[in-house]
Amino acid sequence: SQELEQSPQSLIVQEGKNLTINCTSSKTLYGLYWYKQKYGEGLIFLMMLQKGGEEKSHEKITAKLDEKKQQSSLHITASQPSHAGIYLCGADRSINTNAGKSTFGDGTTLTVKP
Amino acid sequence: DVKVTQSSRYLVKRTGEKVFLECVQDMDHENMFWYRQDPGLGLRLIYFSYDVKMKEKGDIPEGYSVSREKKERFSLILESASTNQTSMYLCASSPGQVNGYTFGSGTRLTVV
């Protein structure tokens, strides 16, 4: 069963609008990752969050991890067509896992209309 | 530019064939992974390896095997391909604990 729930499943926004994607777990997240995937291609690593309350930004994308380390949000400001794709969150299953196995959400498909 | 390279973008194989999917990374990463991605099921871990000649089963290892003879190469083997193995296969590597993955571009396998 999926350990990470992403919402919404899909999102259509007008270019220039802000948007937020959420990733929720019932368990404490030891490492939370955001990836972007273009259709039919591999995943591109965006950001990693580890500490409760942590926030990171890259260009117009900001990701936050809540204090309890069970929920993360990805916020895009002034969206552009280049932001379109599938956004996936991934999380480490255990801090003690030698191989650092991750589990993934189902992804959120973002469409940005020009 | 660091890379994970998957040998084929698209493959079409017949039922019962033995299929090899190759993955090579040039980052000297310890850990390598094979996932399959299916609509509605997300990414599911098939096998992973944290060292040369070491392998561990993921969540859905049935019908698959792997080989890691060299640190940079991790091969996924479908012993006898079946139609339910039609999927997007993604290889990834990482340097260790609590690090993001670097993914390959994926191989879309169709078994007919």
Side-chain angles (χ1 to χ4, degrees):
Chain A
S1 61
Q2 283 290 339
E3 299 172 20
L4 293 176
E5 294 286 336
Q6 276 188 246
S7 62
Q9 280 190 314
S10 63
L11 197 51
I12 302 172
V13 300
Q14 202 68 38
E15 183 177 355
K17 295 294 185 185
N18 303 337
L19 63 107
T20 300
I21 298 168
N22 294 303
C23 177
T24 303
S25 172
S26 58
K27 303 174 184 176
T28 300
L29 300 168
Y30 295 101
L32 189 286
Y33 311 93
W34 283 100
Y35 297 87
K36 180 184 176 184
Q37 184 180 30
K38 292 282 191 183
Y39 180 75
E41 297 183 10
L43 282 68
I44 306 295
F45 173 75
L46 295 176
M47 278 176 273
M48 178 179 75
L49 304 164
Q50 282 183 258
K51 300 176 184 175
E54 187 174 9
E55 179 175 321
K56 287 188 178 177
S57 293
H58 176 68
E59 297 180 345
K60 293 185 178 178
I61 301 177
T62 301
K64 300 178 186 179
L65 183 62
D66 74 339
E67 290 289 344
K68 289 185 178 179
K69 294 170 62 175
Q70 288 186 294
Q71 183 170 21
S72 178
S73 60
L74 185 84
H75 184 78
I76 299 177
T77 304
S79 58
Q80 300 169 355
S82 61
H83 288 128
I86 303 169
Y87 289 83
L88 293 97
C89 61
D92 289 321
R93 299 187 186 190
S94 167
I95 197 169
N96 294 318
T97 301
N98 179 61
K101 287 185 292 181
S102 284
T103 188
F104 291 87
D106 277 345
T108 296
T109 301
L110 172 63
T111 304
V112 180
K113 289 189 170 181
Chain B
D1 194 20
V2 293
K3 264 190 188 176
V4 174
T5 303
Q6 292 184 232
S7 53
S8 305
R9 288 298 301 272
Y10 300 95
L11 272 180
V12 179
K13 296 292 181 181
R14 294 193 180 277
T15 301
E17 275 193 78
K18 190 168 186 176
V19 181
F20 293 86
L21 302 182
E22 305 288 344
C23 177
V24 178
Q25 51 99 359
D26 63 1
M27 297 164 284
D28 201 35
H29 282 174
E30 305 294 329
N31 305 323
M32 296 188 75
F33 308 83
W34 275 106
Y35 285 85
R36 64 178 281 178
Q37 185 178 31
D38 301 285
L41 297 174
L43 274 80
R44 293 180 290 168
L45 181 64
I46 305 171
Y47 266 97
F48 68 101
S49 167
Y50 53 87
D51 201 353
V52 175
K53 297 192 185 292
M54 303 299 288
K55 60 185 179 184
E56 286 198 28
K57 292 179 180 179
D59 299 318
I60 51 162
E62 296 78 20
Y64 303 95
S65 62
V66 289
S67 171
R68 194 164 181 203
E69 296 296 319
K70 293 184 179 181
K71 191 175 186 179
E72 66 269 19
R73 187 181 295 271
F74 192 37
S75 303
L76 179 70
I77 303 154
L78 285 65
E79 298 292 342
S80 177
S82 63
T83 54
N84 63 13
Q85 292 179 309
T86 292
S87 185
M88 171 70 122
Y89 288 87
L90 291 164
C91 174
S93 72
S94 80
Q97 270 189 307
V98 200
N99 283 283
Y101 291 3
T102 301
F103 279 87
S105 298
T107 296
R108 186 164 292 282
L109 172 68
T110 302
V111 182
V112 298

